[in-house]
Amino acid sequence: MNESLTPPAVTLDEIAKAAGVSSSTVSRILNGTAKVSRAKQQAVEAVIEKFNYRPNVLARSLASGKTETVGVLTQTVASPFYAEWLRGIEDSLHEPGLTPFFMSCRWNVAEEKSRIEQFIARRVDGIIVLHGQLDEASLASFARQTPIVVLGRSLNNVPGLAGLPIDNVQGARDMTRYLIAQGHRKIAFIAGPTTHIDAVQRLLGYRLALEEAGIRFSSQRIEQGDFLEAGGVDAMARLLARKAAFTAIFCANDQTAYGARLTLYRHGLRVPEDVSLVGFDDVPTSQYSTPPLTTIRQPIYELGRQAAAAIVRLIRKEPVTLTPVSLDLIERETVSAPRLPSRSPVPVT
Amino acid sequence: MNESLTPPAVTLDEIAKAAGVSSSTVSRILNGTAKVSRAKQQAVEAVIEKFNYRPNVLARSLASGKTETVGVLTQTVASPFYAEWLRGIEDSLHEPGLTPFFMSCRWNVAEEKSRIEQFIARRVDGIIVLHGQLDEASLASFARQTPIVVLGRSLNNVPGLAGLPIDNVQGARDMTRYLIAQGHRKIAFIAGPTTHIDAVQRLLGYRLALEEAGIRFSSQRIEQGDFLEAGGVDAMARLLARKAAFTAIFCANDQTAYGARLTLYRHGLRVPEDVSLVGFDDVPTSQYSTPPLTTIRQPIYELGRQAAAAIVRLIRKEPVTLTPVSLDLIERETVSAPRLPSRSPVPVT
DNA sequence: TTGTACGCGTTATCAT
DNA sequence: ATGATAACGCGTACAA
């Protein structure tokens, strides 16, 4: 190819020389740190333009001791859910002049820890963790080096560490109550991974609502999913295979609901005419699924903004008080009154 | 709160002192640059452990002149499409020890340029641009400072710059041929943004296939979408409102197809019994939509890996030859033979 | 094998 | 207002 690649970048010193001023003057012009005569100002700016000079961020950070960045740790990047969070974070970090630094750890605790260490090694000003399975002690320990905000978890009040919990129990309870109010009493539930706190809480909310309505909780109507479409497909198939009786299905998240929906379709069961189906999360595509999915809406984008605002306050050493976010039920088109009360739908195949 | 936040981080020098060796020895142990006696080795490692020391990446990069990072520029982050690309890139960059640095520019050319400059200011070793609207001259100019790989575009052979084109024309042509082979002759097309090269190419492929089959291209069957669900909803509604005659609908991407599907549903039209529907991209959720969508598969994840491999070679100043990627048709369940040949479906409302 | 000293590109603290 | 000069934390010739 060509050997003239990546010529040594122009430095501040070279600009200073070319403009006939000291390097401090150039630095001052760059940062507006102090008054500089208009003459020199313009001379320097001309040279900068000519050489197409861009300050080296690394050197700048090393000297100033601040990086103006915040590390954002996601579990996965391949999820509509996380994408919305990131958008909120990015938007909200833009105004305070902070640059987000995204990394993902694929639901792997060891990697989660290693990523956080990488962030710290990069001297980020703060860290936002989305979900996260790291134990609270470790988090608190890391937080002594850099402020951390954890989205989706409730955390004890430690300096430099804040958790923004999401009230999954309330959301799941509301949804279950809603189904009951529509006349359903046999409500199946496709759960998420038992290792996932959100999944556990949603199952709990479902159970609580049943009990308060005097409906017996039956493990016969519970199936295990994995928060992904594939898990929904399989769980739904198992539910049908064992001829569980239900008139509605509550899925632990929207992706699970999509999977369940496909299996129902394969069995010739219509939604919502034959069976009602609901999800949880309200990912962006849920309003466009066919039919549009009734679900519990997490204000994902807004949560991202809140997390960003919180980390900014933490960085500025201002107090933060995060209140649990409540979730709203979004009524769309996958629920109707039970077709045949107290009779299970008959699988076609 | 508490004032003991972010205590000044431990430095290499302090480790050296505490271990009773020179700083260079610590550095050598950290990087394995030279042989060090086992005694000192262990002493230093003990101290590092004790102080929980983590080298400052900034200082390290500044001194070594290399950052071991690559900037990844996406147009948006809120898309299943980009998520898969990122996953491929991340996975593939992991092994060479490079850290990706994600930023998005929201389809804004000015921001795209500014982001690239930020990457360069951060002295990334290389840049991967996903799509990108920046003109080739600017890209070539940037490439003189840092190698760049652009995914989804064909680029002239400039040193340090490589484009990985995607054959959208072929993909769209194949899909159209497939529909024709199933007996369809009145095929509607919901296009993407005319500013988007991919969208233009897909429309072209559709047109070429029609012409080679001796079918008249009719603008009556073309509607404008926006590559998002909302655009698909509206475009489909317009198509129906104007009573355009068609037995199949080819959408410029999967998201558009989801929107169109919803409008069809609202009008009581079944897919594929009443009308066939196909998309383009094969985003991860397409195999789980109801019914699963017939579409053109882009090997998105694999493309991400290829881009990463390419930038690695570019960084190492090795030659790269990128060949256009061909796209495969994924036959699923949204296409059937036309129900009423040469008669348009009758909208219910 | 180990230590000294300098350089990386910038900011910040002094004088002037 | 401006300019030397010392950090910032680390890598690395060079010397020992």
Side-chain angles (χ1 to χ4, degrees):
Chain A
M1 307 280 285
N2 172 311
E3 61 295 328
S4 78
L5 282 185
T6 57
V10 203
T11 72
L12 186 148
D13 262 332
E14 299 173 311
I15 298 294
K17 283 209 185 67
V21 300
S22 78
S23 53
S24 335
T25 300
V26 179
S27 174
R28 286 193 258 264
I29 292 175
L30 251 32
N31 305 299
T33 315
K35 294 278 169 245
V36 176
S37 75
R38 281 198 63 74
K40 303 207 183 222
Q41 167 105 20
Q42 298 184 337
V44 169
E45 280 171 351
V47 178
I48 288 181
E49 183 66 26
K50 178 182 167 196
F51 285 70
N52 192 31
Y53 166 71
R54 297 280 174 269
N56 183 326
V57 174
L58 279 61
R60 196 201 286 258
S61 299
L62 184 59
S64 69
K66 33 193 355 198
T67 59
E68 310 287 324
T69 59
V70 352
V72 180
L73 186 59
T74 69
Q75 299 301 314
T76 166
V77 72
S79 148
F81 202 89
Y82 282 92
E84 273 296 283
W85 260 353
L86 299 191
R87 205 164 63 80
I89 291 172
E90 200 170 18
D91 285 355
S92 191
L93 244 30
H94 191 261
E95 182 253 344
L98 291 170
T99 303
F101 204 135
F102 301 116
M103 288 198 185
S104 77
C105 61
R106 312 124 192 259
W107 293 109
N108 178 328
V109 195
E111 199 168 351
E112 183 174 341
K113 192 166 184 177
S114 132
R115 295 302 198 190
I116 294 183
E117 287 175 345
Q118 283 182 47
F119 282 142
I120 292 177
R122 277 216 151 65
R123 300 299 187 268
V124 295
D125 295 338
I127 298 177
I128 298 176
V129 178
L130 305 185
H131 285 136
Q133 312 173 281
L134 214 54
D135 61 293
E136 198 156 344
S138 303
L139 284 174
S141 165
F142 282 131
R144 281 185 294 120
Q145 312 190 50
T146 307
I148 301 182
V149 167
V150 184
L151 198 39
R153 271 171 72 176
S154 168
L155 256 27
N156 286 323
N157 209 356
V158 174
L161 181 61
L164 178 51
I166 294 168
D167 201 341
N168 286 289
V169 176
Q170 166 250 317
R173 194 198 311 227
D174 285 356
M175 178 57 92
T176 311
R177 284 175 177 160
Y178 168 76
L179 290 172
I180 294 171
Q182 302 302 307
H184 295 276
R185 295 185 64 83
K186 300 190 174 173
I187 303 170
F189 188 89
I190 302 182
T194 51
T195 56
H196 201 307
I197 181 72
D198 291 13
V200 174
Q201 291 179 345
R202 292 174 193 180
L203 179 55
L204 177 61
Y206 157 79
R207 184 164 193 157
L208 289 177
L210 288 188
E211 285 170 359
E212 75 183 19
I215 300 177
R216 189 176 57 83
F217 172 89
S218 160
S219 63
Q220 268 297 303
R221 287 200 256 275
I222 309 297
E223 261 300 337
Q224 190 62 41
D226 59 2
F227 268 178
L228 298 176
E229 290 87 349
V233 168
D234 296 344
M236 191 70 243
R238 288 194 299 271
L239 231 28
L240 291 174
R242 98 158 84 94
K243 304 202 185 306
F246 56 84
T247 59
I249 305 146
F250 184 2
C251 295
N253 76 351
D254 286 1
Q255 282 173 277
T256 301
Y258 295 144
R261 166 94 178 86
L262 180 56
T263 296
L264 291 171
Y265 171 79
R266 298 226 176 287
H267 285 259
L269 292 168
R270 295 165 302 168
V271 173
E273 294 84 349
D274 298 323
V275 54
S276 293
L277 176 73
V278 299
F280 201 111
D281 280 349
D282 194 27
V283 297
T285 53
S286 287
Q287 65 174 305
Y288 293 109
S289 65
T290 302
L293 187 67
T294 292
T295 187
I296 294 290
R297 169 163 160 71
Q298 294 206 43
I300 316 182
Y301 175 82
E302 197 50 47
L303 284 170
R305 295 200 62 119
Q306 279 196 41
I311 198 65
V312 168
R313 303 208 57 156
L314 241 35
I315 291 173
R316 294 178 182 159
K317 301 192 192 301
E318 295 168 358
V320 301
T321 48
L322 261 22
T323 51
V325 175
S326 67
L327 310 177
D328 297 328
L329 176 69
I330 305 294
E331 197 170 352
R332 287 204 273 248
E333 305 169 34
T334 49
V335 173
S336 65
R339 196 179 51 143
L340 306 169
S342 67
R343 252 199 57 200
S344 69
V346 184
V348 168
T349 279
Chain B
M1 311 280 286
N2 172 310
E3 61 295 325
S4 78
L5 280 185
T6 58
V10 209
T11 71
L12 186 148
D13 263 332
E14 300 174 307
I15 297 295
K17 283 210 186 66
V21 300
S22 79
S23 54
S24 26
T25 299
V26 180
S27 173
R28 287 179 187 117
I29 293 175
L30 250 34
N31 306 299
T33 314
K35 295 279 169 242
V36 176
S37 74
R38 281 198 64 74
K40 305 209 183 222
Q41 167 105 18
Q42 297 184 338
V44 169
E45 279 170 351
V47 178
I48 288 181
E49 184 66 26
K50 177 183 169 196
F51 285 71
N52 192 29
Y53 166 71
R54 296 281 174 269
N56 184 324
V57 175
L58 279 62
R60 195 203 286 260
S61 298
L62 186 58
S64 68
K66 32 192 358 196
T67 60
E68 309 287 319
T69 60
V70 351
V72 180
L73 186 59
T74 69
Q75 300 300 313
T76 167
V77 71
S79 148
F81 202 89
Y82 282 92
E84 273 296 283
W85 260 352
L86 300 191
R87 206 165 61 79
I89 290 172
E90 199 171 18
D91 284 355
S92 190
L93 243 31
H94 191 261
E95 181 254 344
L98 291 169
T99 303
F101 200 38
F102 301 116
M103 288 199 184
S104 77
C105 62
R106 312 123 194 263
W107 292 108
N108 179 326
V109 195
E111 198 170 349
E112 182 173 339
K113 192 167 182 174
S114 131
R115 295 302 197 188
I116 294 183
E117 287 174 346
Q118 282 182 46
F119 282 144
I120 292 177
R122 277 217 152 65
R123 301 297 187 268
V124 296
D125 294 338
I127 298 176
I128 299 177
V129 178
L130 305 184
H131 285 134
Q133 312 174 283
L134 213 55
D135 61 292
E136 197 157 342
S138 303
L139 283 174
S141 165
F142 282 130
R144 281 186 293 119
Q145 312 189 50
T146 307
I148 301 182
V149 167
V150 184
L151 198 39
R153 270 172 72 176
S154 166
L155 255 28
N156 286 323
N157 209 354
V158 173
L161 180 62
L164 178 52
I166 294 168
D167 201 341
N168 285 288
V169 177
Q170 166 251 314
R173 196 201 304 231
D174 284 356
M175 178 57 91
T176 311
R177 282 175 177 161
Y178 168 76
L179 291 172
I180 293 170
Q182 303 301 307
H184 295 277
R185 296 185 64 82
K186 301 190 173 173
I187 304 169
F189 189 90
I190 302 183
T194 53
T195 55
H196 201 306
I197 181 71
D198 291 11
V200 174
Q201 291 180 345
R202 291 173 193 182
L203 180 55
L204 177 62
Y206 158 78
R207 184 164 193 159
L208 290 177
L210 287 188
E211 286 170 359
E212 74 182 20
I215 300 176
R216 189 176 55 83
F217 172 90
S218 160
S219 62
Q220 268 297 303
R221 287 200 258 276
I222 309 296
E223 261 300 339
Q224 190 63 42
D226 60 3
F227 267 179
L228 298 176
E229 290 87 349
V233 167
D234 296 343
M236 190 71 242
R238 289 194 298 273
L239 231 28
L240 291 174
R242 101 158 82 91
K243 303 201 186 308
F246 57 84
T247 59
I249 305 146
F250 183 1
C251 295
N253 75 351
D254 286 1
Q255 282 173 277
T256 301
Y258 295 145
R261 167 93 177 86
L262 180 55
T263 296
L264 291 171
Y265 171 78
R266 298 226 175 290
H267 285 259
L269 292 167
R270 295 164 302 168
V271 173
E273 294 84 350
D274 298 323
V275 54
S276 294
L277 176 72
V278 299
F280 202 110
D281 281 347
D282 194 27
V283 298
T285 53
S286 288
Q287 63 175 307
Y288 294 108
S289 65
T290 301
L293 187 66
T294 292
T295 187
I296 293 290
R297 168 162 161 71
Q298 293 206 45
I300 316 181
Y301 174 81
E302 197 49 46
L303 284 169
R305 296 199 62 119
Q306 279 196 40
I311 198 65
V312 168
R313 303 208 56 158
L314 242 34
I315 290 173
R316 294 178 181 160
K317 301 192 192 306
E318 296 168 356
V320 301
T321 48
L322 262 22
T323 51
V325 174
S326 66
L327 310 178
D328 298 328
L329 175 69
I330 305 294
E331 197 170 352
R332 287 202 273 249
E333 305 168 33
T334 51
V335 173
S336 65
R339 193 178 54 143
L340 306 168
S342 65
R343 253 198 56 202
S344 70
V346 183
V348 169
T349 279

